[in-house]
Coordinates of all heavy atoms in Angstrom, one line a residue:
M1 N 5.9 17.1 18.8 CA 4.7 16.5 17.9 C 5.1 16.5 16.6 O 4.7 15.5 15.8 CB 3.5 17.4 18.3 CG 2.3 16.9 17.7 SD 1.8 15.3 18.2 CE 0.3 15.6 18.9
Y2 N 5.8 17.5 16.1 CA 6.1 17.5 14.7 C 7.1 16.3 14.3 O 7.1 15.8 13.1 CB 6.9 18.9 14.4 CG 6.0 19.9 14.2 CD1 6.0 21.1 15.2 CD2 4.9 20.0 13.3 CE1 5.2 22.1 15.1 CE2 4.0 21.1 13.3 CZ 4.1 22.0 14.1 OH 3.3 23.1 14.0
R3 N 7.8 15.9 15.2 CA 8.7 14.7 15.0 C 7.8 13.5 14.7 O 8.1 12.7 13.8 CB 9.6 14.4 16.3 CG 10.6 13.4 16.0 CD 11.5 13.3 17.3 NE 12.2 12.1 17.4 CZ 12.9 11.6 18.4 NH1 13.0 12.5 19.5 NH2 13.5 10.6 18.3
T4 N 6.7 13.3 15.5 CA 5.7 12.2 15.3 C 5.1 12.4 13.9 O 4.9 11.3 13.1 CB 4.7 12.2 16.4 OG1 5.4 12.2 17.6 CG2 3.8 11.1 16.2
I5 N 4.7 13.6 13.5 CA 4.1 13.8 12.2 C 5.1 13.4 11.1 O 4.7 12.8 10.1 CB 3.6 15.2 12.1 CG1 2.6 15.4 13.1 CG2 3.1 15.5 10.7 CD1 2.1 16.9 13.3
K6 N 6.4 13.8 11.2 CA 7.4 13.6 10.2 C 7.5 12.0 10.1 O 7.7 11.5 9.0 CB 8.7 14.1 10.6 CG 8.6 15.6 10.3 CD 10.1 16.2 10.7 CE 10.2 17.7 10.4 NZ 11.5 18.2 10.8
R7 N 7.6 11.3 11.2 CA 7.7 9.8 11.2 C 6.4 9.1 10.5 O 6.6 8.2 9.8 CB 7.8 9.3 12.6 CG 9.3 9.5 13.2 CD 9.3 8.9 14.6 NE 10.7 9.2 15.1 CZ 11.1 8.8 16.2 NH1 10.3 8.2 17.0 NH2 12.3 9.0 16.6
L8 N 5.3 9.8 10.7 CA 4.1 9.1 10.1 C 4.2 9.3 8.6 O 3.9 8.3 7.9 CB 2.8 9.9 10.7 CG 2.4 9.2 11.9 CD1 1.2 10.1 12.6 CD2 1.9 7.8 11.9
F9 N 4.6 10.5 8.2 CA 4.7 10.7 6.6 C 5.9 9.9 6.0 O 5.7 9.4 4.9 CB 4.9 12.2 6.3 CG 3.5 13.0 6.6 CD1 3.6 14.3 7.2 CD2 2.4 12.5 6.1 CE1 2.4 15.0 7.3 CE2 1.2 13.3 6.1 CZ 1.3 14.6 6.8
A10 N 7.0 9.8 6.8 CA 8.1 9.0 6.3 C 7.6 7.5 6.2 O 7.9 6.8 5.3 CB 9.2 9.1 7.3
A11 N 6.9 7.1 7.3 CA 6.4 5.6 7.3 C 5.4 5.4 6.1 O 5.4 4.5 5.4 CB 5.7 5.3 8.5
S12 N 4.6 6.5 5.8 CA 3.7 6.3 4.7 C 4.4 6.3 3.3 O 4.0 5.5 2.5 CB 2.7 7.5 4.8 OG 1.8 7.6 3.6
A13 N 5.4 7.1 3.2 CA 6.2 7.0 1.9 C 6.8 5.8 1.8 O 6.8 5.2 0.7 CB 7.1 8.2 1.9
F14 N 7.4 5.3 2.8 CA 8.2 3.9 2.7 C 7.1 2.8 2.4 O 7.4 2.0 1.6 CB 8.7 3.6 4.1 CG 9.5 2.3 4.1 CD1 10.6 2.1 3.4 CD2 9.0 1.2 4.8 CE1 11.2 0.8 3.4 CE2 9.5 0.0 4.9 CZ 10.7 -0.3 4.1
L15 N 5.9 3.0 3.0 CA 4.9 1.8 2.7 C 4.4 2.0 1.3 O 4.1 0.8 0.5 CB 3.9 1.8 3.7 CG 4.2 1.4 5.1 CD1 3.1 1.6 6.2 CD2 4.5 -0.2 5.1
T16 N 4.3 3.1 0.7 CA 3.9 3.3 -0.7 C 4.9 2.9 -1.6 O 4.6 2.2 -2.5 CB 3.6 4.8 -0.9 OG1 2.7 5.3 0.1 CG2 3.2 5.1 -2.3
L17 N 6.2 3.0 -1.3 CA 7.2 2.6 -2.1 C 7.2 1.0 -2.1 O 7.4 0.3 -3.1 CB 8.7 2.9 -1.6 CG 9.8 2.5 -2.4 CD1 9.9 3.1 -3.8 CD2 11.0 3.0 -1.6
C18 N 7.0 0.4 -0.8 CA 7.0 -1.1 -0.7 C 5.8 -1.6 -1.7 O 5.9 -2.7 -2.2 CB 6.9 -1.5 0.7 SG 8.4 -1.3 1.6
S19 N 4.7 -0.8 -1.5 CA 3.5 -1.4 -2.3 C 3.7 -1.2 -3.6 O 3.3 -2.2 -4.5 CB 2.3 -0.4 -1.8 OG 1.1 -0.6 -2.6
I20 N 4.3 -0.3 -4.1 CA 4.6 -0.1 -5.7 C 5.5 -1.1 -6.0 O 5.3 -1.8 -7.2 CB 5.1 1.3 -5.9 CG1 4.0 2.4 -5.8 CG2 5.6 1.4 -7.4 CD1 4.6 3.8 -5.8
T21 N 6.5 -1.4 -5.3 CA 7.4 -2.5 -5.6 C 6.7 -4.0 -5.7 O 7.0 -4.6 -6.6 CB 8.6 -2.6 -4.6 OG1 9.3 -1.4 -4.7 CG2 9.6 -3.6 -5.0
S22 N 5.9 -4.1 -4.7 CA 5.1 -5.4 -4.6 C 4.1 -5.7 -5.8 O 4.0 -6.7 -6.4 CB 4.4 -5.5 -3.3 OG 3.7 -6.7 -3.2
L23 N 3.5 -4.4 -6.2 CA 2.6 -4.6 -7.4 C 3.4 -4.7 -8.6 O 3.1 -5.4 -9.5 CB 1.7 -3.2 -7.4 CG 0.7 -2.9 -6.4 CD1 0.2 -1.6 -6.4 CD2 -0.4 -4.1 -6.5
Y24 N 4.6 -4.2 -8.7 CA 5.4 -4.4 -9.9 C 5.8 -5.8 -10.0 O 5.8 -6.5 -11.0 CB 6.6 -3.4 -9.9 CG 7.5 -3.6 -11.0 CD1 7.1 -3.1 -12.3 CD2 8.8 -4.2 -10.9 CE1 8.0 -3.3 -13.3 CE2 9.6 -4.5 -12.0 CZ 9.2 -4.0 -13.2 OH 10.1 -4.1 -14.3
A25 N 6.3 -6.4 -8.8 CA 6.7 -7.8 -8.9 C 5.7 -8.8 -9.2 O 5.9 -9.7 -9.9 CB 7.4 -8.2 -7.4
G26 N 4.5 -8.5 -8.7 CA 3.3 -9.3 -9.0 C 2.9 -9.2 -10.5 O 2.6 -10.2 -11.1
S27 N 2.9 -7.9 -11.0 CA 2.8 -7.9 -12.4 C 3.8 -8.5 -13.3 O 3.4 -9.2 -14.4 CB 2.4 -6.4 -12.9 OG 3.7 -5.8 -12.7
R28 N 5.0 -8.5 -12.9 CA 6.0 -9.2 -13.7 C 5.9 -10.7 -13.6 O 6.2 -11.4 -14.6 CB 7.4 -8.8 -13.2 CG 7.7 -7.2 -13.4 CD 7.6 -6.9 -14.8 NE 8.5 -7.6 -15.7 CZ 8.4 -7.6 -17.1 NH1 7.4 -7.0 -17.6 NH2 9.2 -8.3 -17.8
A29 N 5.5 -11.1 -12.5 CA 5.3 -12.6 -12.2 C 4.1 -13.1 -13.1 O 4.3 -14.2 -13.6 CB 5.1 -12.9 -10.7
A30 N 3.1 -12.3 -13.1 CA 1.9 -12.7 -14.0 C 2.2 -12.7 -15.4 O 1.7 -13.5 -16.2 CB 0.7 -11.8 -13.5
A31 N 3.1 -11.7 -15.8 CA 3.5 -11.6 -17.2 C 4.3 -12.7 -17.7 O 4.2 -13.2 -18.8 CB 4.1 -10.2 -17.6
S32 N 5.2 -13.1 -16.8 CA 6.1 -14.2 -17.2 C 5.5 -15.4 -17.3 O 6.1 -16.5 -17.9 CB 7.4 -14.1 -16.3 OG 7.1 -14.5 -15.0
A33 N 4.6 -15.7 -16.4 CA 3.9 -17.0 -16.4 C 2.8 -17.2 -17.6 O 2.3 -16.2 -18.0 CB 3.1 -17.2 -15.1
G34 N 2.8 -18.3 -18.2 CA 1.9 -18.7 -19.2 C 0.5 -18.6 -18.6 O 0.1 -18.8 -17.5
P35 N -0.5 -18.7 -19.5 CA -1.9 -18.9 -19.1 C -2.3 -20.2 -18.4 O -1.7 -21.2 -18.9 CB -2.7 -18.6 -20.3 CG -1.8 -18.9 -21.4 CD -0.4 -18.6 -21.1
A36 N -2.9 -20.1 -17.3 CA -3.3 -21.4 -16.7 C -4.3 -22.1 -17.5 O -5.2 -21.6 -17.9 CB -3.9 -21.0 -15.3
L37 N -4.0 -23.4 -17.6 CA -5.0 -24.3 -18.4 C -5.8 -25.1 -17.5 O -5.4 -25.9 -16.7 CB -4.1 -25.3 -19.3 CG -3.2 -24.6 -20.3 CD1 -2.4 -25.7 -20.9 CD2 -4.1 -23.9 -21.3
A38 N -7.1 -24.7 -17.3 CA -8.0 -25.3 -16.4 C -8.8 -26.4 -17.3 O -8.9 -26.3 -18.4 CB -8.9 -24.3 -15.8
A39 N -9.3 -27.3 -16.4 CA -10.1 -28.3 -17.0 C -11.4 -27.9 -17.6 O -11.8 -28.3 -18.7 CB -10.4 -29.4 -16.0
N40 N -12.1 -26.9 -17.0 CA -13.3 -26.3 -17.6 C -13.2 -24.8 -17.4 O -12.6 -24.3 -16.5 CB -14.5 -26.9 -16.9 CG -14.6 -26.8 -15.5 OD1 -14.0 -26.0 -14.9 ND2 -15.1 -27.8 -14.8
P41 N -14.1 -24.1 -18.0 CA -14.0 -22.6 -17.9 C -14.5 -22.1 -16.5 O -14.1 -21.1 -16.2 CB -15.2 -22.2 -19.0 CG -15.4 -23.3 -19.8 CD -15.0 -24.5 -19.1
L42 N -15.3 -22.9 -15.8 CA -15.7 -22.5 -14.5 C -14.6 -22.4 -13.5 O -14.3 -21.5 -12.8 CB -16.9 -23.4 -13.9 CG -17.5 -23.0 -12.6 CD1 -18.0 -21.6 -12.6 CD2 -18.4 -23.9 -12.1
A43 N -13.7 -23.5 -13.7 CA -12.5 -23.6 -12.9 C -11.5 -22.6 -13.2 O -10.7 -22.1 -12.3 CB -12.0 -25.0 -13.0
A44 N -11.5 -22.1 -14.5 CA -10.5 -21.1 -14.9 C -10.7 -19.8 -14.2 O -9.7 -19.0 -14.0 CB -10.7 -20.9 -16.4
Q45 N -11.9 -19.4 -14.0 CA -12.2 -18.2 -13.3 C -11.8 -18.0 -11.7 O -11.7 -17.0 -11.2 CB -13.5 -17.6 -13.6 CG -14.6 -18.5 -13.1 CD -16.0 -18.0 -13.5 OE1 -16.2 -16.7 -13.6 NE2 -17.0 -18.8 -13.7
F46 N -11.7 -19.2 -11.2 CA -11.4 -19.2 -9.7 C -10.0 -19.6 -9.6 O -9.5 -19.8 -8.4 CB -12.3 -20.2 -9.1 CG -13.7 -19.8 -9.0 CD1 -14.7 -20.3 -9.8 CD2 -14.0 -18.6 -8.4 CE1 -16.0 -19.9 -9.7 CE2 -15.3 -18.1 -8.3 CZ -16.4 -18.7 -9.0
G47 N -9.2 -20.0 -10.6 CA -7.9 -20.4 -10.4 C -6.9 -19.2 -9.9 O -7.0 -18.2 -10.3
G48 N -6.0 -19.5 -9.2 CA -5.0 -18.6 -8.8 C -3.9 -18.3 -9.8 O -3.3 -19.3 -10.4
D49 N -3.7 -17.0 -10.2 CA -2.7 -16.7 -11.1 C -1.5 -16.5 -10.5 O -1.3 -16.1 -9.4 CB -3.1 -15.5 -12.0 CG -4.3 -15.8 -13.0 OD1 -4.4 -17.1 -13.4 OD2 -5.1 -14.8 -13.3
A50 N -0.3 -16.6 -11.4 CA 0.9 -16.2 -10.6 C 1.0 -14.7 -10.3 O 0.6 -13.9 -11.2 CB 2.0 -16.6 -11.8
G51 N 1.5 -14.4 -9.2 CA 1.7 -13.1 -8.8 C 0.5 -12.5 -8.1 O 0.5 -11.3 -7.7
D52 N -0.5 -13.2 -7.9 CA -1.7 -12.8 -7.1 C -1.4 -12.5 -5.7 O -1.9 -11.5 -5.0 CB -2.8 -13.9 -7.1 CG -3.6 -13.8 -8.3 OD1 -3.4 -12.9 -9.2 OD2 -4.4 -14.7 -8.4
G53 N -0.5 -13.2 -5.1 CA -0.1 -13.0 -3.7 C 0.6 -11.6 -3.5 O 0.5 -10.8 -2.6
W54 N 1.5 -11.3 -4.6 CA 2.3 -10.0 -4.6 C 1.3 -8.8 -4.7 O 1.4 -7.9 -4.1 CB 3.2 -10.0 -5.6 CG 4.5 -10.9 -5.4 CD1 4.8 -12.1 -6.0 CD2 5.5 -10.6 -4.5 NE1 6.0 -12.6 -5.3 CE2 6.4 -11.6 -4.5 CE3 5.8 -9.5 -3.6 CZ2 7.6 -11.7 -3.7 CZ3 7.0 -9.5 -2.8 CH2 7.8 -10.5 -2.9
M55 N 0.4 -9.1 -5.6 CA -0.6 -8.0 -5.8 C -1.6 -7.7 -4.7 O -1.8 -6.5 -4.3 CB -1.6 -8.4 -7.0 CG -0.8 -8.5 -8.3 SD -0.2 -7.2 -8.9 CE -1.3 -6.8 -10.3
L56 N -2.0 -8.8 -4.0 CA -2.7 -8.7 -2.8 C -1.9 -7.9 -1.6 O -2.5 -7.0 -0.9 CB -3.2 -10.1 -2.2 CG -4.1 -10.1 -0.9 CD1 -5.4 -9.4 -1.2 CD2 -4.3 -11.6 -0.5
A57 N -0.6 -8.3 -1.4 CA 0.2 -7.7 -0.5 C 0.5 -6.2 -0.9 O 0.4 -5.4 0.1 CB 1.5 -8.3 -0.3
G58 N 0.6 -5.9 -2.1 CA 0.7 -4.5 -2.6 C -0.6 -3.7 -2.2 O -0.4 -2.6 -1.7
G59 N -1.7 -4.2 -2.4 CA -2.9 -3.5 -2.1 C -3.1 -3.3 -0.8 O -3.5 -2.1 -0.3
F60 N -2.7 -4.3 0.1 CA -2.8 -4.1 1.6 C -1.8 -3.0 2.1 O -2.2 -2.3 2.9 CB -2.5 -5.5 2.3 CG -2.6 -5.4 3.7 CD1 -3.8 -5.2 4.5 CD2 -1.5 -5.5 4.5 CE1 -3.7 -5.2 5.9 CE2 -1.4 -5.4 5.9 CZ -2.6 -5.2 6.5
L61 N -0.6 -3.1 1.6 CA 0.3 -2.1 1.9 C 0.0 -0.6 1.6 O 0.2 0.4 2.3 CB 1.8 -2.4 1.3 CG 2.5 -3.5 1.9 CD1 3.8 -3.7 1.3 CD2 2.8 -3.2 3.5
M62 N -0.7 -0.6 0.4 CA -1.2 0.7 0.0 C -2.2 1.3 1.0 O -2.4 2.5 1.3 CB -1.8 0.8 -1.5 CG -2.1 2.1 -2.0 SD -0.8 3.2 -2.0 CE 0.2 2.6 -3.4
L63 N -3.2 0.4 1.5 CA -4.2 0.8 2.4 C -3.6 1.3 3.8 O -4.0 2.2 4.3 CB -5.2 -0.4 2.6 CG -6.1 -0.6 1.5 CD1 -7.0 -1.9 1.9 CD2 -7.1 0.5 1.3
V64 N -2.6 0.5 4.3 CA -1.9 0.9 5.4 C -1.2 2.3 5.2 O -1.2 3.1 6.1 CB -1.0 -0.1 5.9 CG1 0.0 0.3 7.1 CG2 -1.6 -1.5 6.2
A65 N -0.6 2.4 4.1 CA 0.1 3.8 4.0 C -0.9 4.9 3.9 O -0.6 6.0 4.4 CB 0.8 3.7 2.5
L66 N -2.0 4.6 3.2 CA -3.1 5.7 3.3 C -3.5 6.0 4.7 O -3.9 7.2 5.1 CB -4.3 5.4 2.4 CG -4.0 5.4 0.9 CD1 -5.3 4.8 0.1 CD2 -3.9 6.8 0.4
A67 N -3.7 5.0 5.6 CA -4.0 5.2 6.9 C -3.0 6.0 7.7 O -3.4 7.0 8.4 CB -4.3 3.8 7.6
F68 N -1.8 5.7 7.5 CA -0.7 6.5 8.1 C -0.7 8.0 7.6 O -0.5 8.8 8.4 CB 0.7 5.8 7.8 CG 1.0 4.6 8.8 CD1 0.1 3.7 9.1 CD2 2.4 4.4 9.2 CE1 0.5 2.8 10.0 CE2 2.7 3.5 10.0 CZ 1.8 2.6 10.4
A69 N -0.9 8.1 6.4 CA -0.9 9.4 5.7 C -2.1 10.3 6.4 O -1.9 11.4 6.7 CB -1.0 9.5 4.3
S70 N -3.3 9.6 6.4 CA -4.4 10.3 7.1 C -4.2 10.7 8.6 O -4.6 11.7 9.0 CB -5.7 9.5 6.7 OG -5.7 8.3 7.5
A71 N -3.6 9.8 9.2 CA -3.3 10.0 10.7 C -2.3 11.2 10.8 O -2.4 12.0 11.7 CB -2.7 8.8 11.3
G72 N -1.3 11.3 9.9 CA -0.4 12.3 9.9 C -1.0 13.6 9.6 O -0.7 14.8 10.1
L73 N -1.9 13.6 8.6 CA -2.6 14.8 8.1 C -3.5 15.4 9.3 O -3.6 16.5 9.5 CB -3.4 14.5 6.9 CG -4.0 15.7 6.2 CD1 -3.0 16.7 5.7 CD2 -4.9 15.2 5.1
M74 N -4.2 14.4 10.0 CA -5.0 14.9 11.1 C -4.2 15.5 12.2 O -4.7 16.6 12.8 CB -5.7 13.7 11.5 CG -7.0 13.2 10.7 SD -7.9 11.7 11.2 CE -7.8 11.8 12.9
L75 N -3.1 15.0 12.6 CA -2.3 15.4 13.7 C -1.6 16.8 13.1 O -1.6 17.8 14.0 CB -1.2 14.5 13.9 CG -1.5 13.3 14.8 CD1 -0.3 12.4 15.0 CD2 -2.0 13.8 16.2
W76 N -1.3 16.9 11.9 CA -0.8 18.2 11.3 C -1.7 19.4 11.4 O -1.5 20.4 11.9 CB -0.3 17.9 9.9 CG 0.4 19.2 9.3 CD1 1.6 19.9 9.7 CD2 -0.1 19.8 8.2 NE1 1.8 20.8 8.9 CE2 0.9 20.9 8.0 CE3 -1.1 19.6 7.3 CZ2 0.7 21.7 6.9 CZ3 -1.2 20.5 6.3 CH2 -0.3 21.5 6.1
T77 N -2.9 19.0 11.0 CA -4.1 20.0 11.0 C -4.4 20.4 12.4 O -4.6 21.6 12.6 CB -5.3 19.6 10.2 OG1 -5.7 18.4 10.8 CG2 -5.0 19.4 8.7
R78 N -4.4 19.5 13.4 CA -4.8 19.8 14.7 C -3.6 20.7 15.4 O -3.9 21.6 16.1 CB -5.0 18.5 15.5 CG -5.3 18.8 16.9 CD -5.5 17.5 17.8 NE -6.6 16.8 17.2 CZ -6.9 15.5 17.4 NH1 -6.1 14.8 18.2 NH2 -8.0 14.9 17.0
E79 N -2.4 20.4 15.0 CA -1.2 21.0 15.6 C -1.2 22.5 15.0 O -0.8 23.4 15.7 CB 0.1 20.4 15.3 CG 1.3 20.8 16.0 CD 1.1 20.6 17.5 OE1 0.5 19.7 17.9 OE2 1.8 21.4 18.3
R80 N -1.5 22.6 13.8 CA -1.6 23.9 13.1 C -2.7 25.0 13.6 O -2.4 26.1 13.7 CB -1.9 23.8 11.6 CG -0.8 24.3 10.7 CD -1.3 24.0 9.2 NE -1.6 25.3 8.7 CZ -2.3 25.4 7.5 NH1 -2.6 24.3 6.9 NH2 -2.7 26.5 7.1
H81 N -3.7 24.3 14.2 CA -4.7 25.2 14.7 C -4.5 25.5 16.2 O -5.2 26.4 16.6 CB -6.2 24.5 14.5 CG -6.5 24.4 13.2 ND1 -7.0 25.6 12.4 CD2 -6.7 23.4 12.2 CE1 -7.4 25.2 11.2 NE2 -7.2 23.9 11.1
N82 N -3.6 24.8 16.8 CA -3.4 25.2 18.2 C -2.2 26.1 18.4 O -1.3 26.5 17.6 CB -3.0 23.9 18.9 CG -4.3 23.1 19.2 OD1 -5.3 23.6 19.2 ND2 -4.2 21.7 19.4

């Protein structure tokens, strides 16, 4: 059982690292791109900025990493009490 818990924590650490990398890549892509010129102010707030996809993927990976970590923590506490 401890092997499964170690794998869950390792997967959580790996996904956190991937999430941080994705968020960094998205922020660098957004910083290197110039401001989007929209025809009107209403269209400017709904326009997609450069790096939005990377930022979305990073946020999703962080949620999955938190789910893996909480599953590992639940198994670890259950195993400790038995």
Side-chain angles (χ1 to χ4, degrees):
M1 184 62 111
Y2 285 115
R3 185 174 165 188
T4 304
I5 295 170
K6 285 181 185 179
R7 284 185 180 176
L8 280 172
F9 284 137
S12 175
F14 176 72
L15 287 172
T16 301
L17 180 67
C18 290
S19 172
I20 291 169
T21 304
S22 180
L23 290 171
Y24 178 75
S27 68
R28 296 305 301 161
S32 67
L37 300 174
N40 58 29
L42 183 62
Q45 58 184 325
F46 294 112
D49 291 331
D52 279 351
W54 286 105
M55 300 288 253
L56 182 65
F60 178 72
L61 285 174
M62 187 59 74
L63 288 175
V64 173
L66 285 172
F68 276 38
S70 65
L73 186 64
M74 285 173 39
L75 285 175
W76 181 61
T77 55
R78 183 179 293 164
E79 192 67 25
R80 238 177 103 195
H81 290 292
N82 287 336

